[in-house]
Amino acid sequence: MMFMDLNELRKRFSPSKPQISDAIDSSRAQLPRPMASSFNFIAANVTKTFAALLIILPVLITFSLIYRNPSSDHRFSPFADARVLDPKSSLTTSQSSENAEVANDKLLGGLLPSGMDEASCLSRYQSFMYRKTSSFKPSTYLISKLRKYEELHKRCGPGTQPYNEALKQLKSGNETAVPTECNYVVWIFYSGLGNRILTVSAAYLYALLSNRVLLVDPGTDMTDLFCEPFPSTSWFLPQNFPLYKKFENFNQKSSRCHGFMLKKNLLNATKASTEEVPPYLYLHLGHDYNDHDKLFFCDEDQTLLNKVPWLIMRTDNYFVPSLYLIPSFEEELFKLFPEKVAIFHHLGRYLLHPTNEVWGLITRYYNAYLARADERIGIQIRTFEEGPGPFPHVNDQILSCISKEKLLPEVDKDDLSFGSSKNPRSIAVLVTSLDAGYSDSLRELYWEHPTVTGEVVGIFQPSHEGFQQSHKKNHNRKAWAEMYLLSLSDKLVTSAWSTFGYVAQGFGGLKPWILYKPEDKKTPNPACGRAMSIEPCFHAPPFWDCKAKTGIDTGKLVPHVRHCEDISWGLKVVDGREEL
């Protein structure tokens, strides 16, 4: 009806030119009529005109707003800082700038390469929608280095001619290596998932520093958990790799073990420039490595290793801090990471993207339980106690920590505090633990008593597997999903010695509160303390001065490598002031 009325009004108040002429002539013919009649005619026309304007103007304004801002969409979204690009729309300068910013966030500030298949790995380009933009920015030098490495891996990866040529040395049985176009470091599948995430990142950094191609032993579940990180190539070691069946038997007494050969004087690092080397060496860098194995962290041994085409590495240590103590690597590390504490933060997010199966676990849980909260708190609980839990002293430690550090609001046990708001501020607490008892205690506390602030607290725990089952795919899928969910927190509490917590803090760029390791089943005092940096701890570093050939406290050599908060003999990278 409105449009019919508008058409009639247009006809009435927008006549053609002949109609205007006729109207003038008609009005002249009626001049002798009384003056009151003329006024009535004018008043009637003014009234109709005003009424028409009241109908037409809102419609015109509405259409104007729609065409000025066609992309406005205020539908609810559970994603943090989620923004949608519309490449088909005509963009203003401000819109173009905003979309460029979103595209940059999607690539994590330039860390990620553009153009990879999104459907095969949804997490790679969707992760930015679930977390706040990182305050740690990758250096332009690091971004350039990553792009160059991607080219190297594409040229030298599995199936390429340089790779096949390098394989010939392993198949030939020759005792002495000849120079190859591409050199490699092979990471052996070993230890629990948290350790694997940290060590494959450390191995990749070593590959960057030594100009090698990193190949990853897929083991039982690496392909099930992680997407391919590099464009148009694979980082997974082919199953027909000549040494593949020997991996399980490699140890510190293997004939090609780097440390063993040094011990037996079969290698001489001091004569590295003239020393003949074998086609491959096994690097034993696990927690049980000996003094000869640890010489890997000496400059002269790196000169020797640089001549070996294939390095096979087994480790359960995040050995990055000791790379800073190798003089030939130090300057390059400073250029790659001006913010020294963001090494794993950048490399982990660049390399390790959850597969679609794991990403489904992450996003479904996040959207169902965490997305709508005003604040998200992560609490990661790992105990090293004997016997079944939950343990009362650990439960007391958790409550003491969150109370002292004011991570959660206090409860009113007199039940006198009642919020008057229909929509009080909400806090979602994500608890990860092998035991359900700790989250049950928190859930009962915040259900049975109101908070003194009127805030509501929800406690959520995705799984409680009872004990670690690193050999099971589904267990590791859940573990990877929970590490990632913890990294989406606003504040984080982790457990001492736990690589699970290290992964979460590193991915999230979060400086956590660490629950100190209890002794003699007693609650530590203080219960927890704030971490110095977001970097993981190297649990078993060497204490050796390569130049002086004597023992030394490597936690006191440079200001940016210090002993860890949770393991007094461990090393971690912190915010040092020393610059090149």
Side-chain angles (χ1 to χ4, degrees), residues 377-554:
I377 308 294
I379 302 179
Q380 181 260 334
I381 304 166
R382 173 66 191 275
T383 63
F384 297 89
E385 309 280 0
E386 293 183 0
F391 302 98
H393 64 281
V394 175
N395 200 55
D396 291 341
Q397 180 183 11
I398 296 165
L399 293 174
S400 175
C401 176
I402 62 177
S403 174
K404 182 181 178 182
E405 301 298 335
K406 303 186 185 303
L407 298 173
L408 289 176
E410 298 285 346
V411 296
D412 180 4
K413 294 193 175 181
D414 296 324
D415 295 342
L416 300 177
S417 301
F418 291 94
S420 58
S421 172
K422 289 185 178 179
N423 296 299
R425 186 174 182 273
S426 63
I427 301 174
V429 181
L430 176 72
V431 178
T432 66
S433 174
L434 294 172
D435 197 306
Y438 304 110
S439 63
D440 286 345
S441 296
L442 282 172
R443 187 179 297 109
E444 289 177 8
L445 178 66
Y446 283 97
W447 181 37
E448 293 176 355
H449 305 287
T451 63
V452 296
T453 59
E455 296 168 296
V456 293
V457 178
I459 311 296
F460 307 99
Q461 181 172 345
S463 72
H464 42 87
E465 300 283 282
F467 58 95
Q468 189 168 346
Q469 304 167 57
S470 298
H471 58 288
K472 292 186 177 180
K473 279 187 179 182
N474 200 44
H475 177 87
N476 285 331
R477 284 181 183 177
K478 292 178 181 178
W480 180 207
E482 290 183 11
M483 291 182 212
Y484 207 99
L485 285 166
L486 283 171
S487 78
L488 303 179
S489 304
D490 298 304
K491 297 175 183 176
L492 182 62
V493 178
T494 62
S495 295
W497 294 33
S498 175
T499 56
F500 196 108
Y502 296 161
V503 172
Q505 72 192 46
F507 267 83
L510 300 166
K511 191 185 292 185
W513 285 264
I514 302 173
L515 295 167
Y516 296 127
K517 188 174 183 292
E519 300 291 341
D520 300 322
K521 296 188 180 298
K522 295 180 180 178
T523 299
N525 186 20
C528 64
R530 196 75 185 272
M532 292 181 288
S533 78
I534 67 173
E535 271 290 289
C537 179
F538 180 8
H539 285 180
F543 292 94
W544 182 254
D545 187 325
C546 295
K547 292 182 178 179
K549 307 297 183 185
T550 185
I552 194 173
D553 186 351
T554 48

Side-chain angles (χ1 to χ4, degrees), residues 214-232:
L214 173 67
L215 297 177
V216 170
D217 170 14
T220 58
D221 63 9
M222 292 295 284
T223 57
D224 183 64
L225 299 175
F226 305 104
C227 301
E228 294 277 8
F230 311 128
S232 306

